[in-house]
Amino acid sequence: MIPEEVIKIADDIREMRIRGAGRIARAAAEALMIAAKSYNGDLEDFARYMEEVSEILLSTRPTAVSLPNAISYVMKAVRRRYGSVVEAVEAVVRAAMEFKEYSEKALELIGEIGSRMIEDGMTIITHCNSSAVVSILAKAWREGKRFKVYATETRPRYQGYITARDLASRGISTTLITDSAVAYIMRKADLVLVGADAITSNGALINKIGTSQIALTAKVYSVPFYVAAETYKFSPYTLAGEAVEIEERDPREVLDPPIEGIEIRNPAFDATPPEYIDAIITEIGVISPEMAILVITEFLGHRIVSEAPKGYEDSETELGSQY
Amino acid sequence: MGEGIEMREKLTEYWRVYGATEAAKSILEEFLRKVNSSKSWEDLLAAIDYLYEACSARPYSALLVNASRDVLQEFLSSGASSVYEAVNTISSKISRMLDMVENMTLQAALIAAKRIQDDEVIFTISYSGTVLKVFENLVARGARVRAIVTESRPFGEGVEMARALRSLGVGVTLIVDSAIRSFIKRASRVVIGAEAIAANGATINKVGTALLAIAAKEARVRLFVVSGSYKIVPETFFGELVGSPEMEIQDMPQDLIAIGVKSYAPLFEAVPTGYIDAIITEKGLISPPAIPYIVRETFGSWPPRVRRIEDLYREARTLMLRRLRTP
């Protein structure tokens, strides 16, 4: 019996009441913890039960790799041998707590590292809503740096409003612009700073729809384009050749009611090629996108050994030990 | 039956509201009504005040400014001494010009349609009556073209463009403005209208067009501008810039305004010539830097001998006031 609270978290992720790659990852770890705590079967069935819970969580949204990475981290604890249910549950709870703590610490570290790259008097463009970006800008502002942020409203769901709220409530000078005005504003910009839903093994960025055309425009105008991303957003599956699935959402998000006879397409994400990215700011340091492979192999500990991993079950994830 | 008429009425309404050509034409038509009902020099003065105010409010509307210049010039050179004569002079000039604009648009659209093949996917942006005319030609020819349109925030004219294209029988895909780069490779060509065209061929159009042009260039998809030559702004030959009205995002939530979030929504932007493969006017398909050629054809000389709208307005006003005082 899967607890209602867990089902609710899964629904909240699917319906975007819980959104943002980092928050989704932490919510998934939390859900696994709740599921483990409320387990009342025997030890033999525990792993199967936890697998079932993780399948439900995995099915919510396909694109952000933080979700399977978080689940993978916690589920590794499930797959060890235990003498009792209590022992197994304790191990899962510990792993989930570790992940959540790590994730929060990572945000803080990204804020610290990234804020050093913000200069006084800058004009910065950001897109959608990213906790890592807000962490950087908030830290820089606290350090006394003064800058101006243009936040895109981010159709169709207007996550730019959340960014504007996050920034303006800290006193940061914030202006919302339409997504269509990015090229117009780029002439005035010194820096573009965005978050990430996933980073592939060749250094491409998967992020909110619109990111790649902003990166392209930044390149045209010679404006540096930085990405802020925790290491658990790097995708080990892409190393095995898997493509990141771009989620296509309900057309009603674009136009409600839709018009009969007009096809509405609503992909939620797009891919920015590494050549448009100047730097990725992670909690373990600043890297060029081409070095994404180092994060996946050296830091996260994934490798193609003999045959390609079929999915997250077979991969080895080591988090939290080295920052 | 009723639905068809309703759709056509709606369409007319959208043209009036959204297209650059149509918006300018509706102002000229209103001016024509004011002129035709003028009984005195006072009425005529009010009419040219209306026209000049419209020009000042929309300096980026090349058609409006060019047409207003022609009308004022015609009035000044006619030497009209009675209200009746002046009304006739202005009225017939406006009517001729409106016809001319219509013909130029049709001709440009026809040339553009010839260049497009039967199975193409055309990416367009915002609402353009001229681009719709291109599609009308294609549909009439039996071409099975498809269209991709962005919604165009903040006003959503792209949705109306999609509606108009659908009613022509064109298959349409509607996307958010952010999805341009994700969909550009599905297009065989970009076709856009123009609000104004500058001396060097740079084209001013609805905001988002520069993004589209940059994405098209990256994907090696050709970009065509279709426009009557009346969209060329002769002032730009003498260094004047075409401004864009800057607005705020009207539907921003109140709580954001309360914590000091500002908003900024420019309406138009320029596409540099390097991103435009061809400009198609009624005088043919040219490369953007060849705009001076069209100017010579249109204005009779290069550089064009044109007078500033401010000077013409002041002169026309002075003349009307003089006539008013000495009947």
Side-chain angles (χ1 to χ4, degrees):
Chain A
M1 202 35 205
I2 291 160
E4 253 171 55
E5 211 180 328
V6 172
I7 303 292
K8 188 181 175 306
I9 291 175
D11 282 346
D12 285 349
I13 294 173
R14 190 178 294 112
E15 301 304 323
M16 293 176 69
R17 285 184 292 269
I18 297 174
R19 36 148 307 284
R23 273 182 295 260
I24 288 174
R26 285 191 291 277
E30 172 89 25
L32 289 171
M33 188 170 86
I34 294 166
K37 276 181 178 170
S38 60
Y39 180 70
N40 49 20
D42 51 22
L43 187 60
E44 284 78 70
D45 212 31
F46 182 66
R48 193 204 51 77
Y49 161 82
M50 288 301 291
E51 291 292 351
E52 202 181 319
V53 173
S54 68
E55 283 302 326
I56 290 170
L57 292 167
L58 277 172
S59 71
T60 52
R61 297 194 67 193
T63 303
V65 74
S66 55
L67 177 68
N69 273 353
I71 292 170
S72 163
Y73 184 80
V74 178
M75 288 302 285
K76 235 176 55 184
V78 172
R79 291 181 199 111
R80 288 187 205 112
R81 289 185 178 279
Y82 299 102
S84 69
V85 171
V86 177
E87 215 178 288
V89 169
E90 258 173 25
V92 170
V93 169
R94 210 177 310 120
M97 294 298 290
E98 260 170 33
F99 183 84
K100 285 175 66 183
E101 275 162 28
Y102 181 86
S103 162
E104 273 147 24
K105 181 76 185 158
L107 267 185
E108 203 184 306
L109 286 168
I110 288 174
E112 203 147 302
I113 296 170
S115 67
R116 298 184 188 122
M117 300 164 83
I118 306 293
E119 288 168 47
D120 213 52
M122 269 187 166
T123 297
I124 301 162
I125 295 177
T126 188
H127 185 54
C128 197
N129 179 244
S130 155
S131 310
V133 167
V134 171
S135 174
I136 290 172
L137 296 176
K139 174 75 175 165
W141 194 265
R142 279 200 306 274
E143 305 269 291
K145 291 175 184 171
R146 289 297 170 261
F147 47 86
K148 183 177 167 61
V149 178
Y150 283 105
T152 56
E153 54 179 9
T154 317
R155 282 278 292 149
R157 294 191 61 123
Y158 300 104
Q159 288 96 332
Y161 291 171
I162 305 170
T163 301
R165 205 168 284 134
D166 286 348
L167 297 178
S169 62
R170 290 172 165 87
I172 299 171
S173 160
T174 310
T175 303
L176 268 174
I177 55 170
T178 51
D179 302 307
S180 53
V182 162
Y184 190 98
I185 302 291
M186 196 60 77
R187 286 177 302 176
K188 305 177 184 174
D190 302 299
L191 180 69
V192 179
L193 181 60
V194 299
D197 281 89
I199 289 167
T200 68
S201 55
N202 65 330
L205 162 69
I206 313 296
N207 194 42
K208 182 59 55 188
I209 187 85
T211 304
S212 80
Q213 62 194 35
I214 297 173
L216 167 64
T217 307
K219 185 89 179 169
V220 167
Y221 286 88
S222 296
V223 175
F225 183 91
Y226 292 170
V227 180
E230 300 90 328
T231 51
Y232 60 79
K233 291 182 181 165
F234 287 65
S235 167
Y237 319 112
T238 54
L239 181 61
E242 281 182 37
V244 178
E245 183 187 336
I246 302 291
E247 177 185 6
E248 178 104 18
R249 296 185 61 86
D250 191 339
R252 278 163 211 276
E253 290 183 349
V254 178
L255 189 65
D256 195 16
I259 302 167
E260 213 197 306
I262 294 177
E263 181 195 35
I264 297 169
R265 293 291 310 275
N266 184 24
F269 304 96
D270 64 20
T272 302
E275 63 265 31
Y276 297 160
I277 300 167
D278 290 281
I280 303 177
I281 304 161
T282 78
E283 76 275 16
I284 55 169
V286 179
I287 59 164
S288 74
E290 289 80 2
M291 286 295 113
I293 185 65
L294 272 190
V295 173
I296 292 168
T297 57
E298 299 307 306
F299 183 70
L300 297 178
H302 292 271
R303 275 213 171 62
I304 302 289
V305 188
S306 51
E307 41 183 351
K310 292 179 195 75
Y312 69 92
E313 295 97 334
D314 303 326
S315 55
E316 286 280 318
T317 311
E318 284 297 337
L319 274 179
S321 53
Q322 319 182 18
Y323 63 82
Chain B
M1 216 12 214
E3 203 178 289
I5 291 166
E6 202 184 291
M7 176 48 77
R8 205 162 313 137
E9 271 172 6
K10 256 187 177 168
L11 207 64
T12 314
E13 175 70 10
Y14 295 138
W15 278 35
R16 195 172 67 74
V17 176
Y18 296 108
T21 309
E22 287 66 32
K25 268 165 72 177
S26 78
I27 290 167
L28 291 172
E29 278 156 8
E30 175 61 22
F31 171 65
L32 182 61
R33 272 191 293 279
K34 286 186 194 297
V35 169
N36 284 341
S37 62
S38 290
K39 301 273 182 286
S40 62
W41 286 110
E42 279 100 331
D43 293 344
L44 268 179
L45 274 166
I48 67 161
D49 286 349
Y50 165 81
L51 188 65
Y52 182 69
E53 267 165 38
C55 287
S56 313
R58 298 168 188 77
Y60 46 87
S61 175
L63 168 56
L64 182 61
V65 176
N66 281 337
S68 304
R69 183 191 301 108
D70 285 358
V71 167
L72 294 173
Q73 222 148 13
E74 179 90 356
F75 164 71
L76 287 170
S77 61
S78 73
S81 55
S82 70
V83 173
Y84 177 77
E85 250 179 280
V87 167
N88 273 347
T89 306
I90 296 174
S91 167
S92 76
K93 178 71 183 174
I94 288 276
S95 303
R96 266 182 287 137
M97 249 170 8
L98 286 171
D99 284 348
M100 200 178 70
V101 165
E102 183 74 14
N103 288 336
M104 286 176 171
T105 310
L106 287 175
Q107 181 67 18
L110 194 65
I111 297 172
K114 265 202 268 180
R115 186 59 180 260
I116 297 167
Q117 282 156 31
D118 280 0
D119 54 353
E120 289 205 27
V121 179
I122 307 292
F123 205 127
T124 189
I125 190 167
S126 187
Y127 189 98
S128 160
T130 312
V131 172
L132 273 178
K133 289 257 188 306
V134 177
F135 277 98
E136 270 175 33
N137 276 305
L138 290 165
V139 170
R141 191 174 84 197
R144 298 179 70 85
V145 285
R146 284 190 53 83
I148 303 173
V149 188
T150 58
E151 60 173 357
S152 274
R153 285 274 300 154
F155 297 119
E157 313 87 278
V159 178
E160 307 315 327
M161 184 70 176
R163 231 191 270 268
L165 283 165
R166 186 205 57 167
S167 65
L168 286 177
V170 175
V172 193
T173 301
L174 179 72
I175 55 173
V176 292
D177 302 319
S178 277
I180 290 173
R181 188 172 176 274
S182 289
F183 282 84
I184 191 70
K185 283 180 191 152
R186 293 160 203 247
S188 56
R189 202 183 298 271
V190 177
V191 178
I192 61 169
E195 187 72 27
I197 298 170
N200 61 347
T203 296
I204 289 86
N205 198 40
K206 210 38 85 64
V207 73
T209 309
L211 267 178
L212 174 58
I214 291 169
K217 181 143 188 134
E218 184 204 28
R220 302 177 65 108
V221 175
R222 299 294 179 200
L223 184 145
F224 284 13
V225 175
V226 187
S227 163
S229 65
Y230 47 78
K231 296 279 181 67
I232 299 169
V233 184
E235 286 87 349
T236 55
F237 283 86
F238 310 106
E240 287 197 27
L241 299 173
V242 181
S244 167
E246 286 166 1
M247 323 180 87
E248 290 181 344
I249 299 174
Q250 303 299 325
D251 48 9
M252 191 167 83
Q254 282 302 317
D255 72 303
L256 292 183
I257 299 169
I259 57 169
V261 176
K262 294 182 195 66
S263 74
Y264 184 62
L267 213 47
F268 301 110
E269 66 184 339
V271 180
T273 48
Y275 293 92
I276 301 167
D277 292 284
I279 295 179
I280 302 173
T281 74
E282 75 285 356
K283 298 201 161 45
L285 184 153
I286 59 156
S287 135
I291 278 296
Y293 160 77
I294 303 289
V295 166
R296 200 187 58 199
E297 296 290 298
T298 312
F299 294 89
S301 68
W302 190 91
R305 277 183 224 100
V306 290
R307 299 191 51 200
R308 292 162 62 90
I309 184 91
E310 293 86 346
D311 300 341
L312 289 168
Y313 167 68
R314 218 168 294 126
E315 212 172 299
R317 225 174 177 282
T318 313
L319 185 64
M320 284 184 183
L321 281 171
R322 200 183 313 134
R323 295 258 193 275
L324 173 66
R325 285 185 199 118
T326 57

